[in-house]
Amino acid sequence: MNEALLRSLTPSVLAVLVRRGADFAAAEDAVQDALVEAVRVWPADPPRDAKGWLVTVAWRKFLDRARADTARRRREGLVDEEPAPGPAPAVDDTLQLYFLCAHPSLTPSSAVALTLRAVGGLTTRQIAQAYLVPETTMAQRISRAKRTVSGVRFDRPGDVATVLRVLYLVFNEGYSGDVDLAAEAIRLTRQLATAIDHPEVSGLLALMLLHHARRAARTAPDGSLVPLAEQDRGRWDTDAIAGGVAILQTALARDRLGEFQVQAAIAALHADAPTAEETDWVQIVEWYDELTRLTDNPVVRLNRAVAVGEADGPRAGLAALAALDAALPRHDAVAAYLHERDGDPVTAARLYAEAARKAPNLAERDHLTRQAARLNARRPH
C-alpha cells in the first residue's frame, strides 16, 4: 500500500467533492471512508487510475451518508452528477483547498487544526504535539471545527497568515516526524509565493529551503539523528542555501519584519558558519530576542536558552531556562545539554534519560538514550 500516494491524492479528491456540493465536514468524512476502503482493496486489486477510483468511491460514500441523513435528503438530486468512469482530471487543488479551510467562520487555531487533519493528512496526535496540547483536547477542537463548517459554503477563502501557519506546521511534521510532507510544503509555498506578493510568504519559503538544505546530513547511515554541531556540512545543499538566503534578503529589504523572516535569518546564520564553532551565536540571540517580541512563544524562549548558553556560557543558558515551564516539550533535553556543557554529567545523564522517555518520535528517543548511555559509561563504577 502506497501511503504517500494516498496522502498526495487526498486534497484533490476532497476538493472535487466540495466543488460538487458536499459541505466540507461531510466530504472529509467520505474521503476518509474511501481511504480506508483503498487500504483494504488496493493490495489485492490496485486501480489503474488511483485518483479516479478515490473520487468515485468517496462520492458514493458521501451519497450513502446523505441518503441516511434525513436533514440532507435534498442532496439526493446530486446522484446524477456522479463522476463518469475513466481518468480524473490532473488538477492540483491543494493550495486552493488550504485557503478554503482557513474559513472566516473558524478561529485561526481551529482552521489550522482542521486543515492539517483533512488536507495535510496528519493524525490528531501529531497535530496535538505541534500545538503542545493533549490529544483529547485537539480531537475536541477538530470536531468543533467540523461542526462549525458543516453546511457552510466555501465562497470566502481565509487569510494568508492562517495558510502560512498550516504550511509551516506541515513542513515541520514532514521534516522531523513520521510522515514525509516537507517537499510538498515547499512546493505549495513556492506556488503561494508566485501568486501572492507578501514578505512573510517569502520568509517562510526561505526558512523551508534553509532547513531542507541540511536534511541529508541530519541522519547517519543507520538512521540515527546527527546533531547540528556534528553534521557533515559538506553534505548540505549549497544551492538550496543560496536560494534561501537570496529570498530572505529580498524579503528583509522590504522592512516588514515577521516571525518567518526572523526564523529564516537564524537558519541562515547557522548555514553561513563554516564550522559549528564559528557560528555567530551573539547575533542568533539577538534574532531570538526579536522573535520573542513578535510571538512570545514558549518554544522560542526554549530555543533562545540554548543560544544564550552558546553565546554567554552554559550557566547563562540554565538561568534563561529556569524561567520556563519544565513541562515544555524538549525542556529536559535542553537542560541535559546545558548541564553537560557546565561539567555536570550525572545530572545531564539523568535528564537525557528523562527526555528520551518523553520524546515525540523514535529517532529522537534513540538519540537521547544514546546520549544518556554515553555519559553513564564514563562514570566510575
Side-chain angles (χ1 to χ4, degrees), residues 60-72:
R60 288 172 178 166
K61 295 288 186 182
F62 162 69
L63 291 176
D64 288 344
R65 287 174 178 269
R67 293 189 186 100
D69 189 341
T70 304
R72 297 176 183 173

Side-chain angles (χ1 to χ4, degrees), residues 97-139:
L97 204 56
Y98 270 68
F99 270 97
L100 294 178
C101 290
H103 198 270
S105 63
L106 295 172
T107 63
S109 60
S110 293
V112 171
L114 178 63
T115 313
L116 289 173
R117 179 71 185 90
V119 187
L122 275 65
T123 66
T124 302
R125 176 185 59 81
Q126 291 168 326
I127 301 168
Q129 290 174 350
Y131 270 89
L132 311 179
V133 299
E135 184 174 350
T136 54
T137 301
M138 183 52 63

Side-chain angles (χ1 to χ4, degrees), residues 51-99:
K51 179 182 175 182
W53 188 99
L54 285 171
V55 167
T56 299
V57 172
W59 186 252
R60 288 172 178 166
K61 295 288 186 182
F62 162 69
L63 291 176
D64 288 344
R65 287 174 178 269
R67 293 189 186 100
D69 189 341
T70 304
R72 297 176 183 173
R73 289 194 182 278
R74 61 183 176 83
R75 301 184 188 277
E76 289 284 348
L78 297 175
V79 69
D80 294 332
E81 295 183 28
E82 180 173 338
V91 178
D92 187 354
D93 301 291
T94 308
L95 190 57
Q96 178 190 13
L97 204 56
Y98 270 68
F99 270 97

Side-chain angles (χ1 to χ4, degrees), residues 32 69 93 95 145 150 168 184 273 278 301 306 346:
Q32 293 301 319
D69 189 341
D93 301 291
L95 190 57
S150 180
Y168 175 67
E184 174 69 356
E278 295 174 87
R301 292 182 181 275
V306 176
V346 175

Side-chain angles (χ1 to χ4, degrees), residues 296-313:
D296 196 28
N297 186 303
V299 175
V300 170
R301 292 182 181 275
L302 185 69
N303 292 333
R304 179 185 178 279
V306 176
V308 169
E310 298 289 355
D312 301 327

Side-chain angles (χ1 to χ4, degrees), residues 140-181:
Q140 293 170 355
R141 184 178 301 177
I142 293 173
S143 295
R144 286 195 299 270
K146 291 174 68 174
R147 287 196 299 270
T148 299
V149 300
S150 180
V152 170
R153 294 295 300 178
F154 286 83
D155 54 359
R156 293 185 300 151
D159 67 337
V160 175
T162 302
V163 174
L164 290 178
R165 179 63 52 190
V166 174
L167 290 169
Y168 175 67
L169 291 174
V170 170
F171 176 82
N172 280 344
E173 187 59 46
Y175 190 71
S176 62
D178 303 323
V179 181
D180 186 1
L181 296 170

Side-chain angles (χ1 to χ4, degrees), residues 197-200 250-259 261 294:
D197 183 21
H198 193 294
E200 272 294 81
T250 301
L252 290 175
R254 300 178 65 176
D255 198 24
R256 290 170 55 193
L257 192 63
E259 62 175 295
Q261 295 170 67
L294 288 170

